[in-house]
């Protein structure tokens, strides 16, 4: 058991039960996309809890975003059953089908009234619809009304780029493109009550945030919503960034964009691109990062809990 028990992991994936043949089929599809995992991936809540105990993690938030509506709803149901069974170990980030605003609104209501979700998870580009698309304004308005926490994650199973799998670097650029598009679409201006948590320390966004602030409101940049230089700085600064697979080099630029209390712990657990070794190496680099005081580093493990009062209440029981 790690000595800093009580941390919260915002970035945990899961796989609903599937057949051996489906697992094998997915493995071959990944390898065809240059994602050369050595064997079919298998997930279980028991093995995840075993890792959480080893790492001193009190609770992990679960997210999984299938690309069909039926599979997405079924996945949300399964995750909700895990939270019911392990209420102090797991939290639910209900997936939303952001290519279909009407289906999104129905799933938000179902997630809150039937599944008792803690928050929501969205993909940067879901079935070719980006999160900055104006069709999603009604969805953001509903989440804004609910003061929701929304976890933004890129599509790690997108096609490879230049012969390398998407989870290596392309996820960082898709995240960046998406959040910048949301910025210029006025999403953060119009819906300030949503707490957005961005995976992988925001991808390449923190590195480019200074460039965006410097040049983003210049007259040669298309800017139909007239986003100002101050808004660029302030709205990016309101985001929460997780530490998944990015420490220590991702933390320095992240801390130029957001305050230390907006850095939250993420392990990127439950996916083929993460192993116990890589998650532990990343976690130890977070704990050893010299750009923060010890109390600030230790707080990374609990910063996110203020966004999830229902989960916090479960932990206190």
């Amino acid at each position: 058991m790690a000595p800093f028990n009580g941390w919260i992991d915002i970035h945990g994936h899961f796989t609903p039960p599937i057949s051996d043949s489906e697992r094998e089929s997915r493995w071959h599809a990944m390898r065809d996309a240059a994602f050369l995992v050595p064997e079919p991936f298998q997930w279980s809540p028991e093995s995840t809890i075993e890792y959480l105990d080893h790492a001193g993690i009190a609770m992990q938030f679960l997210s999984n975003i299938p690309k069909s509506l039926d599979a997405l709803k079924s996945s949300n149901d399964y995750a909700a059953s895990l939270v019911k069974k392990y209420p102090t170990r797991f939290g639910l980030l209900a997936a939303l089908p952001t290519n279909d605003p009407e289906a999104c609104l129905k799933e938000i209501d179902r997630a809150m009234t039937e599944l008792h979700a803690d928050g929501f998870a969205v993909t940067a580009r879901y079935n070719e619809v980006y999160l900055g698309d104006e069709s999603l304004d009604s969805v953001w308005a509903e989440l804004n009304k609910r003061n929701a926490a929304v976890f933004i994650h890129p599509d790690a199973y997108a096609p490879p780029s230049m012969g390398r799998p998407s989870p290596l670097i392309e996820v960082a650029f898709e995240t960046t493109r998406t959040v910048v598009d949301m910025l210029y679409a006025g999403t953060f201006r119009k819906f300030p009550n949503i707490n957005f948590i961005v995976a992988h320390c925001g991808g390449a966004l923190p590195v480019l945030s200074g460039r965006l602030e410097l040049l983003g409101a210049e007259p040669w940049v298309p800017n139909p919503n007239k986003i100002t230089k101050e808004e660029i700085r302030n709205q990016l600064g309101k985001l929460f960034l997780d530490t998944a697979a990015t420490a220590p080099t991702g933390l320095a630029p992240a801390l130029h964009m957001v305050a230390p209390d907006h850095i939250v712990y993420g392990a990127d657990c439950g996916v083929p691109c993460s192993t116990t070794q890589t998650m532990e190496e990343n976690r130890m680099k977070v704990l050893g990062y010299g750009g923060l005081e010890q109390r600030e580093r230790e707080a990374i493990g609990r910063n996110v809990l203020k966004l999830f009062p229902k989960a916090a209440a479960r932990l206190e029981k």
Side-chain angles (χ1 to χ4, degrees), residues 15 18-31 35-43 271-272:
T15 304
I18 57 174
S19 67
D20 289 341
S21 61
E22 175 63 18
R23 187 176 297 109
E24 186 88 8
S25 175
R26 292 184 183 187
W27 177 51
H28 286 295
M30 283 189 284
R31 292 185 66 86
F35 195 168
L36 303 180
V37 292
E39 59 187 6
F41 181 74
Q42 188 160 353
W43 183 90
V271 284

Side-chain angles (χ1 to χ4, degrees), residues 99 210 232:
N99 65 327
I232 292 172

Side-chain angles (χ1 to χ4, degrees), residues 8 13 30 33 155 167 183 216 234 238 253 283-284 289 295:
I8 310 300
H13 299 289
M30 283 189 284
D155 182 2
L183 175 71
N234 293 336
K238 285 185 62 180
R283 185 170 62 87
M284 298 314 293
Y289 178 64
R295 61 176 178 81

Side-chain angles (χ1 to χ4, degrees), residues 8-283:
I8 310 300
D9 175 14
I10 189 61
H11 195 149
H13 299 289
F14 69 96
T15 304
I18 57 174
S19 67
D20 289 341
S21 61
E22 175 63 18
R23 187 176 297 109
E24 186 88 8
S25 175
R26 292 184 183 187
W27 177 51
H28 286 295
M30 283 189 284
R31 292 185 66 86
D32 289 343
F35 195 168
L36 303 180
V37 292
E39 59 187 6
F41 181 74
Q42 188 160 353
W43 183 90
S44 74
E46 293 81 12
S47 63
T48 300
I49 290 172
E50 183 179 352
Y51 169 71
L52 298 181
D53 288 344
H54 169 76
I57 306 300
M59 176 182 284
Q60 181 182 93
F61 284 90
L62 297 172
S63 59
N64 178 53
I65 313 176
K67 293 185 178 180
S68 76
L69 180 58
D70 287 345
L72 180 146
K73 293 172 69 175
S74 178
S75 177
N76 283 342
D77 290 342
Y78 177 65
S81 75
L82 293 177
V83 175
K84 186 175 182 179
K85 185 175 182 179
Y86 305 104
T88 63
R89 304 313 306 270
F90 292 128
L92 170 58
L93 300 177
L96 296 178
T98 49
N99 65 327
D100 185 338
E102 184 177 347
C104 264
L105 291 170
K106 290 179 179 178
E107 192 64 5
I108 290 169
D109 182 69
R110 190 178 82 92
M112 298 304 290
T113 59
E114 298 179 24
L115 305 183
H116 309 293
D118 296 293
F120 298 90
V122 294
T123 300
R125 178 179 56 176
Y126 186 76
N127 292 333
E128 302 307 316
V129 177
Y130 281 95
L131 296 178
D133 194 287
E134 64 181 7
S135 68
L136 289 171
D137 274 9
S138 61
V139 174
W140 300 132
E142 179 63 24
L143 294 170
N144 189 70
K145 183 173 69 175
R146 294 176 180 270
N147 297 299
V150 177
F151 181 58
I152 298 175
H153 193 282
D155 182 2
Y157 297 98
S161 176
M162 302 178 74
R164 282 168 286 277
S166 184
L168 185 60
I169 61 170
E170 183 55 33
V171 289
F173 298 114
E174 177 161 288
T175 298
T176 304
R177 285 190 292 270
T178 300
V179 176
V180 170
D181 190 51
M182 296 171 75
L183 175 71
Y184 281 102
T187 304
F188 305 130
R189 174 198 283 170
K190 289 183 285 187
F191 309 109
N193 296 333
I194 301 174
N195 288 302
F196 287 102
I197 307 157
V198 189
H200 312 123
C201 251
L205 182 64
V207 173
L208 294 172
S209 61
R211 181 178 178 85
L212 280 166
E213 183 181 342
L214 179 68
L215 301 177
E218 290 296 292
W220 51 268
V221 178
N223 188 2
N225 289 304
K226 295 181 169 49
I227 303 298
T228 67
K229 183 174 185 175
E230 291 71 24
E231 283 182 299
I232 292 172
R233 179 176 62 253
N234 293 336
Q235 289 172 12
L236 294 182
K238 285 185 62 180
L239 299 173
F240 290 80
L241 308 178
D242 88 16
T243 62
T246 53
T249 58
L251 286 173
L255 288 163
H256 280 282
M257 191 177 95
V258 304
D261 65 350
H262 278 228
I263 303 293
V264 303
Y265 180 67
D268 213 350
C269 190
V271 284
C273 56
S274 293
T275 65
T276 297
Q277 180 180 341
T278 60
M279 290 188 292
E280 284 300 277
E281 183 176 342
N282 191 69
R283 185 170 62 87

